[in-house]
């Protein structure tokens, strides 16, 4: 009977051991793929710039692709965590029969690795999202940079065209308006809208390096600054040119005014002489004497006529085609003068 009891007890023990062994094999079949996946999927949070470039990407499209791949990895991780529930249930089934330290160690080791991978994966997810946001900001900054630097460049080209002096200015007022416009444009380079826009462009480049490897524009800040320096030189040259033009126009204006004044004096003298000659009364000898006096006066007026002729020639030399102060011309003045002389000569002879 004792042997029977012993045999029954031994049979139960052996059956239990066999079941435990079977369950342990089942446990290992469940836990080993998880452990192997953990070893193959070891990841780390990047620290160096090179590592960050590899893990987080260097462009929005690259980072978005990495985010999709990382999401696939997260799904695999979730699948492994789900498998660990079966591992835990199998362990509980084993421990209901017998505590096996190797089983407990394998389960806790796998859970620790999964937990570590989960923590790292979450950090990488945050890093990828942060990197994507950063790259998108840089991309937007580059687009903004391209648009604003193009506006600055066009403004500079417009100013360069303006100060090239292509248009001809015909009056002092026009020159003064041009000088005011030049001063206003020059002021815009040092303050105002253009300067403010240039500051924004420089700020984008300083904060985001938006001018480096910018696919949206070929313009660079160094080229813009070179153009501004060249423009300032041209502005100074144009201002000097305008000053010379103003002086020339003022001199021409004085010529016109003086010619107009002298030509008016000439006309008044000529008509006055005609009137005096017609109004004089007396005997024949007195009229002859008076006419000869008028001839002397007429001859003496030759110097003033020469002065008018000199002014007229100066106006021709200066390219003055019209006198805004008078419509009298030298040819008519000379003809009028000679006609008075002929009239006096005929009067004397008569």
């Amino acid at each position: 009977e004792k042997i029977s009891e012993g045999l029954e007890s031994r049979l139960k023990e052996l059956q239990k051991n066999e079941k435990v062994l079977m369950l342990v094999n089942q446990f290992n079949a469940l836990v080993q793929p998880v452990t192997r996946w953990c070893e193959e999927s070891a990841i780390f949070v990047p620290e160096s710039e090179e590592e960050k470039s590899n893990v987080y990407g260097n462009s929005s499209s690259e980072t978005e692709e990495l985010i999709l791949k990382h999401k696939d990895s997260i799904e695999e991780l979730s699948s492994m965590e789900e498998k660990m529930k079966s591992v835990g249930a199998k362990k509980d089934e084993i421990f209901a029969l017998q505590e096996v330290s190797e089983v407990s160690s394998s389960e806790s080791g796998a859970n620790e690795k999964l937990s570590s991978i989960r923590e790292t994966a979450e950090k990488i997810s945050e890093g990828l999202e942060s990197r994507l946001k950063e790259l998108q900001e840089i991309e937007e900054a580059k687009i903004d940079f391209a648009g604003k630097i193009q506006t600055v460049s066009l403004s500079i080209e417009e100013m360069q065209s303006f100060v090239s002096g292509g248009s001809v200015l015909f009056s002092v007022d026009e020159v003064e308006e041009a000088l005011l416009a030049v001063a206003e444009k020059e002021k815009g380079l040092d303050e105002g809208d253009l300067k403010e826009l240039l500051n924004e462009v420089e700020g984008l480049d300083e904060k985001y390096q938006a001018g480096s490897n910018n696919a949206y524009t070929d313009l660079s800040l160094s080229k813009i600054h070179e153009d501004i320096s060249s423009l300032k030189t041209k502005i100074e040259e144009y201002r000097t040119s305008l000053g010379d033009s103003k002086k020339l126009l003022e001199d021409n204006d004085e010529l016109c005014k003086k010619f107009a004044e002298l030509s008016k004096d000439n006309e008044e003298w000529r008509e006055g002489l005609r009137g005096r000659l017609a109004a004089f009364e007396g005997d024949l000898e007195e009229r002859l004497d008076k006419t000869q006096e008028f001839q002397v006066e007429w001859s003496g007026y030759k110097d003033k006529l020469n002065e008018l002729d000199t002014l007229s020639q100066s106006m021709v030399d200066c390219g003055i085609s019209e006198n805004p102060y008078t419509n009298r011309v030298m040819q008519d003045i000379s003809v009028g003068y000679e006609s008075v002389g002929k009239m006096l000569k005929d009067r004397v002879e008569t």
Side-chain angles (χ1 to χ4, degrees), residues 176-190:
E176 288 179 344
E177 286 179 8
L179 284 168
L180 288 173
V182 168
E184 188 66 26
K185 290 183 181 297
E186 186 177 30
K187 183 180 179 182
L189 290 173
D190 300 318

Side-chain angles (χ1 to χ4, degrees), residues 55-91:
V55 177
Y56 296 147
N58 285 312
S59 68
S60 298
S61 58
E62 186 178 346
T63 302
E64 286 172 348
E65 186 177 344
L66 288 169
I67 287 175
L68 291 176
K69 288 181 179 180
H70 188 63
K71 284 181 178 178
D72 291 340
S73 298
I74 294 292
E75 288 179 3
E76 289 182 19
L77 174 59
S78 298
S79 175
M80 292 300 111
E81 290 172 336
E82 191 65 29
K83 285 183 179 181
M84 284 305 296
K85 293 181 180 179
S86 299
V87 170
K90 189 60 66 175
K91 174 202 150 186

Side-chain angles (χ1 to χ4, degrees), residues 193-211:
D193 293 343
L194 182 60
K195 179 62 175 177
E196 184 177 341
L197 190 60
L198 183 58
N199 288 340
E200 290 178 15
V201 171
E202 290 174 338
L204 288 169
D205 188 58
E206 182 180 352
K207 185 175 180 179
Y208 299 103
Q209 290 75 55

